[in-house]
Amino acid sequence: MDKLCVSGGRPLVGSVNIGGMKNAALPIIFATILVNDICVLENLPDVSDIKNALEILRRMGAEIKEIDRFTYSIDTRPVRSNSVPLDLARNMRGSYYVLGAELGRFGRSFTSLPGGCNLGARPIDQHIKGFEALGATVNCTSGISCYTEKPLEGAQIYMDVASVGATANIMIAAACASGMTVIDNAAREPHIVDLANFLNSCGADISGAGTEVIKIRGVESLHGGTYAIIPDMIEAGTYMIAAAATKGDLTINNVIPRHLEATTRKLLEMGVEVEEGDDYVRVRYDGKLKKVRVKTDFYPGFPTDMNPQFCVLLCLAEGESRITESVMDSRFKYTDELIRMGARITVQGRDAIITGVEAFTPSTVRAVDLRAGAAMVIAALSTAGTTFIDDIHHIERGYEDLVGKLRSVGADIERVSTNN
Ligand code: EPU
């Protein structure tokens, strides 16, 4: 029931370090079930979704040791089939990766329908299509069950949507299938490349990750090893926007600037200064913000997970801007919260039309989902006066030590208990 209390209006100045990418870490954590050995994962983000995923594996029998805050050793040899704790699995979207991993290892899996942010209909038909192509029978009457009588066999799979989740799940299931699997119209996100690199480091034979055609030549078995997760491009992008919205000057360290290109380009178009180094970006406010049009898209397009944060910046730009959401069905629920803070936004279907205002008005708002919560924090940081943000459990699912990192660059933000 805690909330965030933000006294804004101060520029963020200094440097922050970016953690590992939640959406890369999740499929990799579940893929360790398929590896059936000891994996040491480094650079795991310290966020509740990752804690939840590790707890799911622990309850399935895995032996998990915390080596340090960001490094865990996971021994999945003792994992029992058909042991997914449904109460935990239903709380998070990424738990559906257990399906590909268990199907690949045991030939069967059962889990609950996945939870996660409410961003409209989030079907899993492409996951099912992939598992069925590999020879599994899938039933979704109460939860999701998949099983196969004979070993999975490689197949040609054309994805109707370049879904991140389905691409990753099929890659995991196919890694130890017999023969070759080809995923056409695959997702190209950096987390797909990270999953392929992890599986290959464990002995898989996957090529083409990062392009729309991924080839997976099934291998007999995998082996454990040590692997470091890539930096979180959405966490980094969030701090980039926060720097610009607070008229600040932030150096964002431990990033892969290429992954941030879509956000960088849009910031430059708005008149924000962005300097790229080998593993950092420096973002500096440089006078008035110009209006722009943004359309979210699959990677390398502008990420849907940056839609709410970017909208906050557009609220502070001169004139009329527009965001078109083309990945998720319903991503604009957060706009009601920004309107509470004085924003002028009209949503028409998949478009939000934003008329710039001088500043937001401090208020009490909710984090309606993970990225929406980050957007509220940025809006509050940019605004003189005190804003309270409720439902912060959403934010804590995906932002590591947000309060500590922001305080270290000059923000006045604290987590307060509502019981006081
Ligand atoms: N889709 C289908 N059928 C499917 C799968 C997806 O039609 O079988 C559609 C979805 O309805 C959506 C689009 O394809 O319209 C993209 O969905 P995708 O499968 O790529 O997304 P996801 O795997 O459900 C992951 C992230 C999201 C992120 C999206 C897009 C995880 C756990 N979640 O979701 O992350 O928004 O990819 O990049 O990796 C977040 O971190 O805040 C978050 C919501």
Side-chain angles (χ1 to χ4, degrees), residues 109-126:
S109 182
F110 177 74
T111 188
S112 52
L113 285 166
C117 294
N118 179 1
L119 307 172
R122 295 178 77 183
I124 56 160
D125 56 304
Q126 300 303 304

Side-chain angles (χ1 to χ4, degrees), residues 33-44:
I33 295 173
L34 180 74
V35 175
N36 192 11
D37 198 358
I38 302 174
C39 296
V40 176
L41 298 183
E42 299 173 340
N43 204 32
L44 287 171

Side-chain angles (χ1 to χ4, degrees), residues 22-24 26-27 49 93-94 96-97 117 119 121-128 161-166 187 189 191 234 298 304-305 326-329 331 350 369-371 397:
K22 165 182 85 76
N23 290 346
L26 287 171
D49 262 9
R93 183 111 196 123
Y96 56 25
Y97 295 123
C117 294
L119 307 172
R122 295 178 77 183
I124 56 160
D125 56 304
Q126 300 303 304
H127 302 240
I128 296 170
V161 195
S163 152
V164 172
E189 270 68 4
H191 18 320
I234 304 299
F298 296 101
T304 177
D305 288 344
S326 60
V327 177
M328 294 296 179
D329 267 2
R331 185 118 225 184
R350 285 183 173 258
D369 60 56
L370 167 57
R371 307 304 169 185
R397 284 185 29 228

Side-chain angles (χ1 to χ4, degrees), residues 157-215:
I157 302 163
Y158 176 81
M159 310 262 295
D160 302 303
V161 195
S163 152
V164 172
T167 303
N169 233 339
I170 297 165
M171 280 165 69
I172 298 169
C176 295
S178 66
M180 172 83 98
T181 297
V182 179
I183 309 177
D184 209 341
N185 194 30
R188 290 178 284 166
E189 270 68 4
H191 18 320
I192 295 295
V193 179
D194 211 31
L195 173 64
N197 288 342
F198 165 71
L199 288 169
N200 284 344
S201 77
C202 298
D205 184 354
I206 301 175
S207 58
T211 76
E212 62 265 39
V213 181
I214 299 179
K215 293 186 177 157

